[in-house]
Amino acid sequence: MENVKLRITEISYSLQGEGARSGNPSIFIRLSGCSAKYACLASGVMCDTEFESGKEMTLAEILTELQKYPCGAIIWTGGEPLDQLTSDILSFFTGYFHCLETSGLKRPCEGFDYICVSPKVAEHVIKKNFLDIKIDELRYVRDLTQSVPEPLVEATRYYLSPHASGQTLEREVVDHVISLCKENPKWSLSIQLHKLLFIR
């Protein structure tokens, strides 16, 4: 397995910026490519992350990079990490706490300790892929034109996050999302702290 390769955009050590694990030190592995990008383009959603560039790294090379950091939590993100990850790949990194951030387009493999779905596809697709899988967080981005979503799957926690223009949060959008949460207390506000605090 150590010679299996993944396409990696970036490996970085920082703090989780949103959701229930906000503030937790984590190693971010951003995988290249995203099979959900066409769904985003069709819906007019602009991605705020760069996931097209990158290089191939073997699992052994990735492990060497991970061992530079005093942290046991990996956040697999992208792009769409499920385009590349398998349960065998996750098991190679034994001893690590594996967090997934996914668009909901694909059914996750086994081996994740924490799953966050930030939907970029229709609700029936998420239902097909996650109806029998424990979701720790459902995290939706909302702009001024959007109301509270009606997910077809259950999660431990439900978050609404204001849409940001690059690194900028607009006060009007934040106020709108705060109102949505107050009117629908099942939902909590999740601000992308890494953007506000310029966390790298």
Side-chain angles (χ1 to χ4, degrees):
M1 283 295 295
E2 65 179 14
N3 292 321
V4 170
K5 294 182 178 180
L6 295 176
R7 288 176 292 113
I8 304 291
T9 295
E10 179 185 27
I11 298 177
S12 61
Y13 181 44
S14 189
L15 304 181
Q16 170 62 285
E18 52 193 323
R21 299 186 68 258
S22 181
N24 286 12
S26 304
I27 304 169
F28 291 80
I29 302 181
R30 187 173 302 282
L31 298 175
S32 303
C34 184
S35 55
K37 67 180 180 181
Y38 298 109
C40 290
L41 290 172
S43 63
V45 175
M46 297 299 293
C47 189
D48 63 353
T49 56
E50 197 283 308
F51 55 82
E52 295 291 356
S53 65
K55 64 179 181 179
E56 287 192 339
M57 295 178 68
T58 66
L59 299 191
E61 290 171 334
I62 295 170
L63 182 59
T64 297
E65 188 70 18
L66 296 179
Q67 291 169 341
K68 296 178 181 178
Y69 307 114
C71 182
I74 298 172
I75 296 179
W76 296 97
T77 185
E80 176 48 69
L82 293 178
D83 288 345
Q84 298 188 59
L85 293 177
T86 67
S87 56
D88 286 340
I89 289 173
L90 295 179
S91 65
F92 178 83
F93 300 100
T94 182
Y96 283 91
F97 185 83
H98 295 282
C99 304
L100 171 68
E101 295 193 346
T102 178
S103 67
L105 182 63
K106 294 188 174 184
R107 183 178 177 85
C109 55
E110 295 183 357
F112 291 105
D113 301 293
Y114 198 93
I115 294 177
C116 171
V117 181
S118 183
K120 305 295 188 296
V121 293
E123 291 296 331
H124 72 272
V125 177
I126 298 169
K127 180 180 179 180
K128 179 188 72 172
N129 292 329
F130 289 89
L131 187 61
D132 59 342
I133 291 178
K134 179 179 180 289
I135 299 175
D136 296 281
E137 294 183 26
L138 268 177
R139 194 190 304 150
Y140 290 76
V141 176
R142 301 282 95 172
D143 63 25
L144 282 174
T145 68
Q146 295 172 306
S147 59
V148 173
E150 297 181 5
L152 300 179
V153 293
E154 294 186 356
T156 303
R157 300 173 183 87
Y158 301 83
Y159 289 101
L160 299 179
S161 182
H163 180 268
S165 301
Q167 295 294 114
T168 304
L169 282 173
E170 297 178 8
R171 182 74 249 179
E172 190 176 12
V173 179
V174 174
D175 288 343
H176 172 64
V177 174
I178 289 173
S179 294
L180 292 179
C181 292
K182 289 169 69 175
E183 295 163 5
N184 303 273
K186 166 182 173 178
W187 297 87
S188 298
L189 177 69
S190 177
I191 295 288
Q192 294 179 308
L193 292 178
H194 51 287
K195 293 185 175 181
L196 290 178
L197 302 178
F198 304 102
I199 296 173
R200 289 289 188 192

